[in-house]
Amino acid sequence: MLNQTALGACAPVLLIDSPAERRLPHQSRIAAHMPILLLGASRATALRIIDGCVALYRELADGRRIILDILGPGRLLGADLADIHQCKAVTLTLTSVETIDTERALASIGNAIREMLLRAQAHALLLGRKTAPERVATALLDLAHQFARKSGAPLARGRTTFTLYLTRADLADWLGLTLETVSRCLSALKRSRLIAFDRPELITITDRTALEALAAGHLHA
Amino acid sequence: MLNQTALGACAPVLLIDSPAERRLPHQSRIAAHMPILLLGASRATALRIIDGCVALYRELADGRRIILDILGPGRLLGADLADIHQCKAVTLTLTSVETIDTERALASIGNAIREMLLRAQAHALLLGRKTAPERVATALLDLAHQFARKSGAPLARGRTTFTLYLTRADLADWLGLTLETVSRCLSALKRSRLIAFDRPELITITDRTALEALAAGHLHA
DNA sequence: CGCATTTTTGATTCTTATCAAGACGAGTGG
DNA sequence: CCACTCGTCTTGATAAGAATCAAAAATGCG
């Protein structure tokens, strides 16, 4: 059972572990920058993100950190979905979640694991073989897909705007870069008019086609 | 059903797709460097590697390639275990496989997917945050674990020898490096007496403790 | 309105990639 | 049996991309 239920409450840690007591589904709001402990020894509980943003990450003994995945609304998070002993998760903004009973939602869990694996494989290609600008372009497209403001206009083409819940440092840890390199790439994309932003956390994609070409490795800028 | 059954046969491609006809389990040997097509639209078939070595990889339009995972004896390979549309697989040596019925082995498939995800996450840490020598050390330990000669002596400490089915170029594509860098790192490890090899494809780990420290990021060589 | 944090930008360094030869080994055919 | 060739591996010299070091500028918060 979640150890945190009040709206807007902000205990330092949210535990996921429902040994026997299980009155699900249950909603909960978690403040920004709260660690989520994945202690589901029973594997009986998982979370669905209703709204907000969660980063799943691992770290090396000396502090080097890699963000494995960024989870937006709809994505699942639970014991089965990550290496419990080595992965950690944090909210990057105020996040609403609901607990789901894995026994009733077996298919959803299976799909979520498969999606996780698929994303991990795509990310391996990014980390192993893409240049810094390609990585940043890929990340922006992924984030746009997960966090785009659902406006009246179709998302497919034209401008897409989304809130970037990640700081430059978070992006760097996701993309295997440094925050300075991320900042330079974002500035370069802005100068090239592929994206636009006035405040650093509100990004608009202004040329999706070019951004996709860059992300796929077809462009050399 | 496998389109290849004879021992030692070497058709250019091995198809995995058993629509209705299914007399499993069935063994098969595949020559080295044969592509394995993962066409399991039905998701009803998977392979278990009995002996040998398979590389699962993805590539970018311009030829950049990343090996997502190296699969040794016991590992499973099938439609559920990779993005069918974007992943490819090749044998790196003569490889024996058996088909397994996924409906009868649901738990195995689930475990295999979870192992795949866990390994992908560990690999993301390697690709995103480890230095070249750390990557090579990590790879050698993983390969030793999957391919170690089962000798009388316990594997835990002392010398471990294994056949490196990967070329330097394969290692580079797995580790997000170039073949020259891999070769230099291997030479450096040899000079430091952490490993030994006379022929380039037969590696002996001579100081497992130091290699593990390096792989974990505790050493600075 | 300061103060702390994040972001941007610049100068320089360092790791790894790229380019370039050789060395080695396995297989082939004379 | 011995050149010859092809593919892989090793090693060296140089270049490039990203990291590091450093300092402002912008932003948000109390």
Side-chain angles (χ1 to χ4, degrees):
Chain A
M1 177 68 232
L2 301 183
N3 73 348
Q4 157 157 11
T5 57
L7 291 184
C10 50
V13 166
L14 176 75
L15 288 170
I16 303 177
D17 203 351
S18 72
E21 167 196 14
R22 208 186 302 158
R23 35 198 175 86
L24 313 170
H26 189 277
Q27 282 210 10
S28 176
R29 298 183 79 191
I30 311 167
H33 312 298
M34 288 297 146
I36 299 179
L37 293 193
L38 303 168
L39 294 180
S42 62
R43 271 188 179 159
T45 309
L47 293 182
R48 175 179 289 115
I49 297 170
I50 306 286
D51 197 59
C53 182
V54 172
L56 185 69
Y57 67 97
R58 276 191 63 157
E59 36 197 16
L60 242 23
D62 61 2
R64 280 175 280 176
R65 188 177 84 129
I66 187 86
I67 292 182
L68 299 167
D69 205 354
I70 296 294
L71 314 194
R75 303 282 308 276
L76 265 47
L77 185 61
D80 268 347
L81 294 164
D83 183 352
I84 297 318
H85 303 295
Q86 304 185 68
C87 283
K88 296 178 179 177
V90 243
T91 55
L92 297 185
T93 186
L94 176 63
T95 300
S96 307
V97 300
E98 64 179 359
T99 51
I100 60 176
D101 186 337
T102 57
E103 318 216 339
R104 243 175 273 168
L106 267 185
S108 300
I109 300 280
N111 288 336
I113 295 185
R114 247 173 270 119
E115 181 184 13
M116 209 85 158
L117 179 58
L118 195 135
R119 287 175 60 85
Q121 292 176 341
H123 205 61
L125 182 60
L126 177 151
L127 292 171
R129 288 300 183 221
K130 288 189 183 178
T131 66
E134 287 167 1
R135 294 181 198 199
V136 172
T138 307
L140 292 176
L141 287 166
D142 184 76
L143 294 171
H145 184 253
Q146 287 204 80
F147 299 102
R149 300 283 170 87
K150 302 287 186 257
S151 64
L155 293 173
R157 60 170 150 50
R159 307 163 70 84
T160 307
T161 298
F162 64 95
T163 300
L164 185 64
Y165 296 117
L166 294 79
T167 65
R168 303 303 190 246
D170 291 332
L171 273 172
D173 280 342
W174 190 27
L175 304 178
L177 301 168
T178 60
L179 70 94
E180 293 95 330
T181 299
V182 169
S183 179
R184 276 184 247 271
C185 289
L186 286 170
S187 296
L189 289 173
K190 186 179 178 180
R191 238 174 298 132
S192 315
R193 314 270 178 204
L194 303 201
I195 65 172
F197 58 95
D198 294 316
R199 269 166 294 161
E201 79 287 1
L202 194 64
I203 308 283
T204 300
I205 291 174
T206 49
D207 188 344
R208 173 177 289 265
T209 307
L211 203 60
E212 282 168 348
L214 178 56
H218 296 305
L219 255 51
H220 306 283
Chain B
M1 181 66 235
L2 302 182
N3 71 349
Q4 156 158 12
T5 56
L7 291 186
C10 50
V13 167
L14 175 76
L15 289 169
I16 302 178
D17 204 350
S18 71
E21 168 197 12
R22 210 186 300 157
R23 34 196 174 89
L24 312 172
H26 190 279
Q27 283 209 12
S28 176
R29 298 183 80 191
I30 312 166
H33 311 298
M34 289 296 146
I36 299 179
L37 293 192
L38 303 167
L39 294 179
S42 61
R43 271 187 179 161
T45 308
L47 292 182
R48 175 179 288 115
I49 297 170
I50 306 286
D51 197 59
C53 182
V54 172
L56 185 69
Y57 66 95
R58 277 192 62 156
E59 36 198 15
L60 240 25
D62 62 3
R64 281 176 280 177
R65 188 177 84 130
I66 187 88
I67 291 181
L68 299 168
D69 205 353
I70 297 294
L71 314 195
R75 304 281 309 276
L76 264 48
L77 185 60
D80 268 346
L81 294 165
D83 183 351
I84 298 318
H85 303 295
Q86 304 185 67
C87 283
K88 296 177 180 177
V90 244
T91 55
L92 297 186
T93 186
L94 176 63
T95 300
S96 307
V97 300
E98 63 178 1
T99 52
I100 61 177
D101 186 336
T102 58
E103 318 216 336
R104 244 175 270 168
L106 266 185
S108 300
I109 299 281
N111 287 337
I113 295 185
R114 248 174 268 119
E115 181 184 13
M116 208 86 158
L117 179 58
L118 195 137
R119 286 174 62 84
Q121 291 176 341
H123 205 62
L125 182 60
L126 177 151
L127 291 171
R129 287 300 181 220
K130 288 188 183 177
T131 66
E134 287 167 0
R135 294 180 199 200
V136 172
T138 307
L140 292 175
L141 288 166
D142 183 75
L143 295 172
H145 185 254
Q146 287 203 79
F147 298 102
R149 301 283 169 87
K150 302 288 186 257
S151 63
L155 293 173
R157 61 171 149 51
R159 307 162 71 83
T160 307
T161 298
F162 63 95
T163 301
L164 185 64
Y165 296 117
L166 295 78
T167 65
R168 304 301 190 248
D170 292 332
L171 273 172
D173 281 343
W174 191 26
L175 304 178
L177 300 169
T178 61
L179 70 94
E180 293 95 331
T181 298
V182 168
S183 179
R184 276 185 248 270
C185 289
L186 287 170
S187 296
L189 289 174
K190 187 179 177 180
R191 237 175 298 132
S192 316
R193 314 270 178 201
L194 303 201
I195 66 172
F197 57 94
D198 293 317
R199 268 167 293 161
E201 79 286 0
L202 193 64
I203 308 283
T204 299
I205 292 175
T206 48
D207 188 345
R208 174 179 288 265
T209 307
L211 203 59
E212 282 169 347
L214 178 56
H218 295 304
L219 255 50
H220 307 284

